Amino acid sequence: MTDLHHLRDNPACYYEVLGRVMSALRETGALNGATHLDWWPGNGGRTWEIEWQGGPFPAEVAARLLGVPELGVDDEQGEHAVRGLISAGRGENERAHLVVLGVPVNLRAIDPIGTSQVWATLTQG
């Protein structure tokens, strides 16, 4: 396995990955109930690190991101803005990992409560 330095070797693709993921987060509302969203280049430009507090578990967010249709493309065509692999991360409910256009994206939640609890909290009234 080659250790790619995405930021140095292909900066356009590296930043496209961040744009696709952040757009998908906004379009899906996948981080509803979360606070303190932050992101930064990880591992010296080899990954993206995205972190939030509270809200859904990272695996829930990753699953929603992988189903986001690309803007202007019909759902029947199966094109998605975020395509990749998903795996649970170390720390069970606090991490998930995606590979988007060949760039690893690490999702991390601090004190997540899960989507069902977020919706229960948001709909109390």
Side-chain angles (χ1 to χ4, degrees):
M1 183 173 173
T2 306
D3 186 25
L4 294 175
H5 189 291
H6 299 285
L7 180 57
R8 182 186 65 222
D9 298 337
N10 192 348
C13 179
Y14 185 71
Y15 283 100
E16 180 181 350
V17 167
L18 179 64
R20 284 176 178 246
V21 171
M22 297 307 281
S23 177
L25 286 171
R26 183 187 66 243
E27 294 300 317
T28 62
L31 289 180
N32 284 348
T35 60
H36 307 293
L37 175 64
D38 198 8
W39 61 92
W40 61 92
N43 197 17
R46 292 173 176 85
T47 68
W48 278 110
E49 307 293 323
I50 301 175
E51 180 179 87
W52 62 90
Q53 187 165 5
F57 295 114
E60 294 171 323
V61 171
R64 292 209 45 200
L65 294 182
L66 289 175
V68 178
E70 197 160 356
L71 294 177
V73 176
D74 294 331
D75 288 340
E76 295 86 50
Q77 294 177 346
E79 290 295 320
H80 294 283
V82 176
R83 296 181 292 277
L85 307 172
I86 177 175
S87 65
R90 293 170 279 122
E92 299 171 21
N93 290 327
E94 289 86 23
R95 295 179 188 267
H97 308 288
L98 297 168
V99 179
V100 180
L101 299 178
V103 178
V105 177
N106 298 312
L107 304 175
R108 179 173 180 240
I110 300 169
D111 300 326
I113 59 174
T115 301
S116 60
Q117 186 60 43
V118 167
W119 283 109
T121 301
L122 292 174
T123 58
Q124 279 181 335

